[in-house]
Amino acid sequence: MYKIAVAGTGYVGLVAGACFAEVGHQVTCVDIDEKKVKLMKSGVSPIYEADLEELMQKSYVDGRIDYSTDYQSAYKDADAIFIGVGTPEQSDGSANLSYIATVARQIAESVEKDCLVIVKSTVPVGTNDKVEQFIQDFLVNDVRVEVASNPEFLAQGSAVHDTLHAERIIIGTESDWAEQVLKSIYEPFNLPIVSVNRRSAEMIKYASNDFLALKISYMNDIANLCELVGADIQDVAKGMSFDSRIGSKFLNAGIGYGGSCFPKDTKALENLARQNNYELKTVNAAIDVNEEQKTKLYKKASKRLITFSGLKVAVLGLTFKPGTDDLREAASLENIPLLLEQGADIYAYDPVGSENFAKVHPEGNNGKGTITYVANVEHALDGANVCFIFTEWGEVKAVTPETYKKLMRTPLVYDGRNIYSVQEMQQADVEYYSIGRKPISREVLMEAKNLELQKSRF
Ligand code: NAD
């Protein structure tokens, strides 16, 4: 059993802390946000993640986890300190390392015994070296502090499961001691461990994330071509997925990738390459495709409608993907301002994301348009002139094609997640535009009706 402190209680830090406590370590989760700490102490998770609250409550009752803003007490006698604070994107695309630097300094000023500092946050190659040097520079007591890299691969929406059943743990160390400490912290998880040096560990994280982003952008690129040449991206993906060299995951075309990782991690790696006078052409292309993809449906709808002004626009899904309340880089954040600017009256539904979205776009008048947050899909669709699907929540997928036809004033749907089959939407007489598939335009619907009419005459 190790005495562990975790700096930062976001998606990475809190989940890691709860899982370390679950396997028997003594954990203190530190955050600068007093409100969050208060919430966690009362048994409530400040973020939405399946199974997280249960783990937190169980370990809190058993005395294996605590939450605090008092970093000094938490760090001074910890065996290991995991850093899980944010590394957001800066205007030039590089990672903002100021939160990491603050924690490093707090650690240097607090530790009173030898300890291992582990960087879990996603950081550019070479950052661990700098963090170690920074800590040495500010160290107050005569103790040994070493830094190790342990990048995180969890996916939001399944973070607890991904941590307890990770496909691999990457540890990047520069000494046998650091490697042994990290290996024994992870021993109770009984998972495959890949042990490399610090710089390789840092690169594994970016190379993995950017590869997945690339896969998504590649499929979106192919989807755009499918639309032009009459192929169906879902059939194409299905056909590709049987090839074990390609694999079946991350082949879904859609409205682009979002979230707190892919957008910033592609830009950070591209920035790192540029700093080293290298052009990362593949990652650059993934970024460009994604930028255009996010507003693709909005542009299509703008061509179809004279104006959005005074139209009731139903928006289904606000978060960047289902299973999370995270809005970072979500397609909704890009498209809703465009719709509001055009004077749309938006009725938005999301099972968990509305509260966070309302912090950016409060209910009521927003520029030239309005936004109303509703508690169910039906309320959003009732009398709507057009509907945009941005997130494939189960609640959204459960809506039948007939419901759009029945509830909307004009059944016109722009689906950024390819939830429905084109055929079923056509059968339900819904005008339907999706990604990389045949559009069901008014003309297509009229043609089908005429055919039916002709058949019935004979
Ligand atoms: P987050 O923004 O959700 O959480 C960061 C937390 O750190 C916040 O609660 C903030 O208050 C706290 N914090 C800031 N300064 C602090 C300090 N000095 N001491 C203690 N707490 C402090 O971030 P996140 O999404 O968990 O991401 C953290 C890191 O992990 C990033 O580098 C990210 O790229 C990486 N990562 C994220 C994911 C993901 O799915 N979110 C997955 C893998 C890796």
Side-chain angles (χ1 to χ4, degrees):
M1 189 272 280
Y2 282 87
K3 193 168 189 314
I4 291 175
V6 182
T9 60
Y11 294 88
V12 165
L14 183 55
V15 172
C19 291
F20 286 139
E22 170 70 7
V23 299
H25 297 304
Q26 187 66 42
V27 180
T28 306
C29 292
V30 177
D31 207 289
I32 45 170
D33 188 330
E34 279 178 21
K35 265 202 270 176
K36 272 191 177 178
V37 170
K38 219 170 164 187
L39 261 184
M40 293 185 288
K41 274 183 169 293
S42 70
V44 178
S45 168
I47 52 166
Y48 177 78
E49 265 309 327
D51 304 327
L52 179 58
E53 225 164 61
E54 291 74 15
L55 278 195
M56 290 168 65
Q57 288 165 2
K58 191 159 64 120
S59 295
Y60 192 64
V61 171
D62 294 347
R64 284 195 312 277
I65 197 165
D66 201 0
Y67 310 96
S68 178
T69 51
D70 178 5
Y71 65 85
Q72 259 161 333
S73 303
Y75 300 160
K76 70 174 183 190
D77 58 351
D79 302 308
I81 305 170
F82 283 82
I83 304 180
V85 295
T87 48
E89 182 187 327
Q90 303 194 103
S91 55
D92 64 352
S94 64
N96 177 350
L97 299 176
S98 63
Y99 300 97
I100 298 266
T102 303
V103 178
R105 189 155 177 172
Q106 290 168 338
I107 290 171
E109 290 167 355
S110 308
V111 285
E112 293 177 6
K113 64 172 247 198
D114 295 354
C115 86
L116 184 65
V117 171
I118 303 112
V119 179
K120 241 192 185 312
S121 304
T122 305
V123 291
V125 179
T127 304
N128 276 259
D129 299 359
K130 289 183 195 159
V131 171
E132 190 167 273
Q133 189 55 54
F134 200 70
I135 293 176
Q136 301 302 342
D137 290 346
F138 287 98
L139 207 53
V140 171
N141 297 304
D142 183 21
V143 292
R144 173 184 179 181
V145 180
E146 219 179 291
V147 172
S149 169
N150 172 219
E152 179 54 63
F153 295 91
L154 64 80
Q156 282 175 233
S158 54
V160 170
H161 178 271
D162 292 353
T163 305
L164 294 174
H165 307 280
E167 287 170 333
R168 80 313 201 178
I169 310 280
I170 302 291
I171 59 173
T173 54
E174 296 296 324
S175 77
D176 289 345
W177 174 73
E179 186 183 9
Q180 284 322 310
V181 172
L182 257 180
K183 278 188 171 166
S184 47
I185 288 174
Y186 276 108
E187 202 185 316
F189 288 85
N190 200 19
L191 296 166
I193 292 178
V194 180
S195 181
V196 295
N197 71 23
R198 280 197 305 225
R199 285 178 177 243
S200 300
E202 291 170 321
M203 185 55 106
I204 287 170
K205 175 61 194 172
Y206 278 108
S208 303
N209 263 12
D210 289 17
F211 184 73
L212 295 176
L214 228 133
K215 218 172 161 186
I216 295 171
S217 275
Y218 176 74
M219 291 311 286
N220 284 334
D221 219 10
I222 296 291
N224 295 340
L225 186 57
C226 280
E227 280 179 32
L228 296 172
V229 299
D232 183 307
I233 191 63
Q234 277 183 321
D235 289 344
V236 172
K238 190 175 163 196
M240 290 167 69
S241 71
F242 282 85
D243 190 329
S244 59
R245 293 169 303 177
I246 296 172
S248 59
K249 291 183 179 161
F250 283 77
L251 292 183
N252 288 337
I255 198 163
Y257 57 75
S260 65
C261 293
F262 291 174
K264 85 171 168 57
D265 292 348
T266 42
K267 288 181 200 149
L269 196 62
E270 190 273 325
N271 186 277
L272 183 73
R274 213 166 350 109
Q275 278 172 14
N276 287 278
N277 299 319
Y278 186 75
E279 193 192 346
L280 214 46
K281 290 182 185 150
T282 48
V283 175
N284 267 335
I287 296 169
D288 288 348
V289 169
N290 201 56
E291 280 309 309
E292 283 184 28
Q293 201 69 13
K294 276 192 173 177
T295 51
K296 203 170 150 40
L297 289 180
Y298 167 78
K299 285 180 191 139
K300 270 189 192 175
S302 299
K303 278 192 192 156
R304 159 72 175 78
L305 299 158
I306 302 168
T307 176
F308 287 103
S309 178
L311 295 193
K312 177 173 176 180
V313 178
V315 167
L316 306 185
L318 296 167
T319 55
F320 86 91
K321 69 172 184 177
T324 180
D325 57 349
D326 199 349
L327 295 169
R328 288 177 281 188
E329 301 275 346
S332 60
L333 278 176
E334 194 110 354
N335 286 281
I336 284 180
L338 294 173
L339 291 164
L340 290 170
E341 180 53 33
Q342 294 288 318
D345 292 322
I346 294 172
Y347 283 71
Y349 166 75
D350 191 288
V352 301
S354 299
E355 204 181 311
N356 282 346
F357 206 85
K359 289 177 193 157
V360 192
H361 293 288
E363 185 153 86
N365 288 335
N366 268 258
K368 293 180 193 159
T370 65
I371 186 160
T372 308
Y373 298 98
V374 296
N376 56 57
V377 178
E378 288 72 21
H379 192 167
L381 292 177
D382 194 20
N385 302 93
V386 54
C387 169
F388 286 90
I389 299 171
F390 292 139
T391 324
E392 66 276 38
W393 283 101
E395 291 86 339
V396 178
K397 280 159 90 174
V399 181
T400 61
E402 291 71 30
T403 308
Y404 295 97
K405 174 73 179 168
K406 196 173 105 197
L407 293 181
M408 291 178 73
R409 189 185 168 112
T410 39
L412 171 60
V413 176
Y414 290 86
D415 179 1
R417 301 297 173 187
N418 286 355
I419 287 179
Y420 299 99
S421 89
V422 170
Q423 288 78 7
E424 61 180 343
M425 286 304 241
Q426 180 169 350
Q427 270 158 19
D429 202 22
V430 176
E431 201 180 329
Y432 181 60
Y433 300 88
S434 54
I435 307 283
R437 303 184 302 169
K438 178 184 165 192
I440 303 300
S441 60
R442 267 179 312 181
E443 291 72 27
V444 171
L445 290 174
M446 291 295 289
E447 213 174 291
K449 269 189 195 152
N450 285 340
L451 260 174
E452 282 297 308
L453 208 66
Q454 279 172 18
K455 268 192 215 159
S456 68
R457 284 201 185 123
F458 290 104

